[in-house]
Amino acid sequence: MGQKRKVLLQIFISTLYLSAFTFGGGYVIVTLMKKKFVDQYHWIEEKEMLDLIAIAESAPGAIAVNGAVVVGYKLSGIAGALTAVVATILPPFAILSLISVFYDAFRENVLISQMLTGMQAGVGAVIASVTCDMAAGVVREKHLSSIIIMGVSFAAVSFFGVNVIYVILVCLALGIFQTIIKNGIHKNNHPARMDEGRVGL
C-alpha cells in the first residue's frame, strides 16, 4: 500500500510539473511524458508508450488529458488515471482563471506577446525532437509495413493536407487487418495443428 502511494505521489508531482511548465498544446505534454516516464523513470517501454500515445490521439477529447489517463492507468490503474488527470488539469485551470481576470492587460502587453513567440519556437523544437525519437523506434523494429504506413501518413498530412482524423482511422483499420492476418498465420502454424496433420498421415 505504501509503495502504491509513493507511485501515485510521483505520478501527481511529475504530471503536475509537466502540465505547469508545458506551453504549446497537448502534443508537447505527451512528448514530455515520454521523456519522463520512459527515458527517466523507465516505467514504460518506448514501444508501449507509442501505443498509449496512439490511443490518446484517436480518442475524443484533449490529447493532454487523454495522454494522462492512459499513462496513469498503465502505471497504477484507476487511481493512477485519476491522479494524472487531476494533476494535468490543475495548472491550466488556475492559469486560465487568472488570465481571464486580467485578459485585456495581457492582450496588449508587448513583452508577453514576444515571450509567447519565443515559446512557440521552443515548442516546435521539443515536438520535432521527440517525433524523431519515436520515428527512429519504428524504424528500429524493421517492420516494413509499419515504416510504409508511417511514411505515407506523414506525406498525406504534410503534403496533401489530408485530415488527421482520416489518417488515424485508416491506420486503425490497417492495424486491425495486420493483427487478423498475423493471428491467422500463428494459428495455422500452431504445433497442435501440425501434430494433428502428422497423425492423419
Side-chain angles (χ1 to χ4, degrees):
M1 191 69 179
Q3 181 64 26
K4 185 174 182 180
R5 287 181 180 176
K6 184 178 179 181
V7 172
L8 290 175
L9 181 61
Q10 282 186 293
I11 292 173
F12 182 84
I13 293 174
S14 299
T15 315
L16 184 73
Y17 172 81
L18 292 176
S19 182
F21 294 98
T22 297
F23 298 87
Y27 286 98
V28 179
I29 192 171
V30 168
T31 53
L32 292 179
M33 280 182 181
K34 183 261 180 188
K35 285 188 176 292
K36 177 70 73 175
F37 298 123
V38 176
D39 301 336
Q40 182 177 340
Y41 290 156
H42 305 291
W43 286 350
I44 304 175
E45 296 292 329
E46 184 171 346
K47 186 178 184 300
E48 193 168 18
M49 189 68 190
L50 283 170
D51 295 337
L52 295 177
I53 292 173
I55 294 171
E57 281 187 326
S58 56
I63 188 172
V65 178
N66 293 345
V69 169
V70 294
V71 171
Y73 185 80
K74 162 64 184 174
L75 295 175
S76 195
I78 297 295
L82 292 174
T83 301
V85 168
V86 171
T88 302
I89 292 174
L90 277 178
F93 178 79
I95 292 170
L96 289 175
S97 298
L98 182 64
I99 290 176
S100 65
V101 176
F102 304 102
Y103 175 71
D104 290 332
F106 278 115
R107 184 181 60 181
E108 297 174 1
N109 190 298
V110 177
L111 181 61
I112 291 178
S113 176
Q114 294 300 315
M115 182 180 68
L116 293 175
T117 301
M119 286 180 179
Q120 289 175 3
V123 165
V126 170
I127 294 176
S129 172
V130 181
T131 300
C132 289
D133 289 342
M134 291 183 172
V138 173
V139 173
R140 279 196 297 270
E141 291 181 2
K142 298 180 180 178
H143 292 164
L144 183 60
S145 59
S146 298
I147 296 172
I148 292 173
I149 290 172
M150 180 179 68
V152 171
S153 300
F154 176 79
V157 174
S158 300
F159 303 122
F160 299 102
V162 179
N163 193 304
V164 176
I165 295 175
Y166 299 137
V167 173
I168 291 173
L169 290 175
V170 171
C171 291
L172 176 65
L174 290 173
I176 293 172
F177 178 74
Q178 280 185 316
T179 302
I180 292 172
I181 296 297
K182 187 176 180 180
N183 288 341
I185 292 173
H186 284 171
K187 285 181 180 178
N188 290 335
N189 293 332
H190 196 277
R193 297 202 170 195
M194 294 175 68
D195 291 341
E196 288 175 8
R198 291 194 187 98
V199 172
L201 290 173

